[in-house]
């Protein structure tokens, strides 16, 4: 744990150091809070229903820098938690999401850095709870060289080093990647590109059998070739990618397959937007964590479990955000199908989320949120339905100080014994500033 936190702190200080050296449009926000939660089923268990009150104190920061040579976003939260009835161990949780692009030499040399620290499930078959969580970290960094030809062509050569850490499971690994990307500016708003990448993955426990999936952990090399198109207008953004992947595993058969991604966004009035994401690709635990953007800061931790196996992943998502008749709205519909090579984790997941916010008075704001998700594990004939509904009320005492009240009910129905649960949760919190909520999506 200490080794991992050190990596995150180093990455965070590197980010802040870059910002301080070239700050032009630097924004920093600090926040802190103290609160209590009362739960009727802390462990989210069907048989061992324990009531407890959780007291917590948190502090966080979010920073953003946008200048000619630096684009950076960082958000971090540290939180201490104490269970008054000792149903779970007291703990300190830390979360971090950092994304930096620093142009060291304008249009010639840049440095890219990503660092995501988050909590995820340890056992993907069980619900997320204090007894089923672990810290994970992803550090992904390296330089990029740019060569421009005839003003319309750009060749980008990049190298990346990755360090992937898991607190409990045996997935720790080092990654080394290199890529070349040739882009052609067709119009001021349209770009066409061709990219090739090679990645080498070396596990710390190569050859060990994963305790959850029963699958041996194997080093592998991955090659990807893809072509893409990006088009952007005042109101519309379209990104389209297609290609092929080759994965060569030590002492096992190779895995090959096509990849495709589509993202379409339509900007709407009042800072709103609606979009579509579709993808089909080969993936594995490390890649999922890298693209999660920091789960603890914005992604449901139920969907960030560590699974040491390679899968064909199909994903679809429709989303909307904006204001309608004074109500701030976020709606998301999603579908996921994962087909694993060796393990029995083949899964289909469909769900919907809703988040509404409305100012009911100058100093009062009401929020309503909900989630419904269906999960099906094909090879073990298991089906889960999980739902959550809740509301929150926030009262602003001064410009920076607020008091929040919350109430939610979450339940899960499963056809497998031992996986049903019901939980009522009540919350009160005194807060200064805003709790960081950022994820690179």
């Amino acid at each position: 744990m200490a080794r991992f936190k050190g990596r995150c702190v180093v990455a965070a200080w590197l980010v802040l150091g870059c910002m301080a050296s070239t700050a032009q449009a630097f924004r920093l926000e600090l926040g802190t809070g103290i609160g209590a939660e009362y739960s009727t089923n802390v462990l989210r268990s069907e048989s061992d229903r324990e009531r407890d009150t959780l007291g917590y104190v948190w502090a966080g920061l979010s920073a953003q820098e946008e200048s000619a040579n630096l684009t950076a976003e960082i958000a971090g939260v540290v939180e201490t938690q104490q269970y008054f009835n000792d149903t779970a161990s007291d703990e300190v949780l830390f979360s971090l999401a950092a994304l930096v692009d620093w142009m060291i030499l304008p249009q010639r040399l840049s440095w890219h850095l990503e660092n995501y620290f988050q909590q995820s499930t340890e056992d993907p078959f069980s619900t997320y709870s204090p007894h089923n969580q672990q810290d994970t970290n992803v550090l992904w960094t390296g330089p990029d060289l740019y060569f421009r030809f005839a003003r319309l062509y750009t060749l980008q050569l990049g190298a990346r080093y990755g360090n992937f850490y898991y607190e409990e499971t045996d997935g720790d690994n080092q990654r080394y990647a290199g890529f070349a990307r040739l882009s052609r500016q067709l119009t001021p708003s349209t770009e066409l590109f061709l990219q090739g990448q090679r990645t080498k993955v070396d596990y710390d426990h190569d050859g060990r059998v994963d305790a959850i999936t029963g699958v041996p952990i194997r080093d592998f090399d991955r090659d990807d070739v893809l072509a893409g198109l990006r088009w952007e207008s005042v109101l519309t953004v379209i990104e389209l990618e297609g290609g092929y992947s080759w994965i060569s595993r030590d002492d096992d058969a190779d895995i090959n397959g096509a990849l495709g991604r589509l993202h379409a966004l339509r900007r709407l009035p009042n800072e709103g937007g609606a979009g579509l994401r579709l993808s089909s690709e080969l993936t594995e635990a490390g890649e999922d964590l890298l693209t999660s953007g920091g789960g603890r800061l914005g992604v449901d931790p139920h969907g960030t479990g560590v699974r040491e196996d390679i899968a064909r992943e199909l994903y679809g998502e429709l989303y909307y955000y904006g204001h309608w008749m004074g109500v701030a709205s976020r709606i998301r519909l999603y579908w996921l199908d994962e087909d694993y090579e060796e393990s029995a984790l083949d899964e289909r997941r469909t769900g919907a989320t809703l988040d509404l916010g409305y100012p009911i008075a100058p100093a009062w704001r009401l929020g309503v949120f909900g989630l419904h998700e269906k999960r099906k594990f094909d090879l073990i004939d298991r089906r889960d339905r999980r739902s959550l509904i809740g509301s929150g009320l926030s009262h602003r005492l001064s410009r920076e100080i607020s008091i929040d009240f919350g109430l939610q009910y979450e339940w899960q129905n499963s056809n497998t014994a031992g996986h049903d649960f019901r939980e009522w949760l009540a919350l009160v919190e005194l807060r200064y500033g805003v709790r960081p909520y950022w994820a690179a999506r």
Side-chain angles (χ1 to χ4, degrees), residues 297-314:
L297 293 174
V299 179
D300 182 3
H302 283 268
T304 56
V306 178
R307 310 173 182 199
E308 296 305 333
D309 194 5
I310 295 172
R312 162 62 61 179
E313 180 181 278
L314 305 176

Side-chain angles (χ1 to χ4, degrees), residues 89 115 129 181 188 341 374 398:
S89 300
N115 202 135
S129 74
R181 177 187 175 108
E341 286 294 317
K374 297 180 181 179
S398 67

Side-chain angles (χ1 to χ4, degrees), residues 189-205:
S189 61
T190 307
E191 181 187 46
L192 183 68
F193 71 87
L194 177 66
Q195 179 172 322
Q197 177 169 316
R198 181 172 181 82
T199 305
K200 181 176 179 59
V201 180
D202 293 331
Y203 284 96
D204 292 358
H205 305 103

Side-chain angles (χ1 to χ4, degrees), residues 4 94-96 116-120 134-137 289 292-297 299 304:
F4 172 58
F94 179 68
S95 304
L96 175 71
Y116 302 120
F117 180 121
Q118 65 191 75
Q119 285 74 48
S120 69
Q134 65 172 331
D135 290 334
T136 64
N137 183 55
L289 285 176
S292 71
R296 187 71 178 181
L297 293 174
V299 179
T304 56

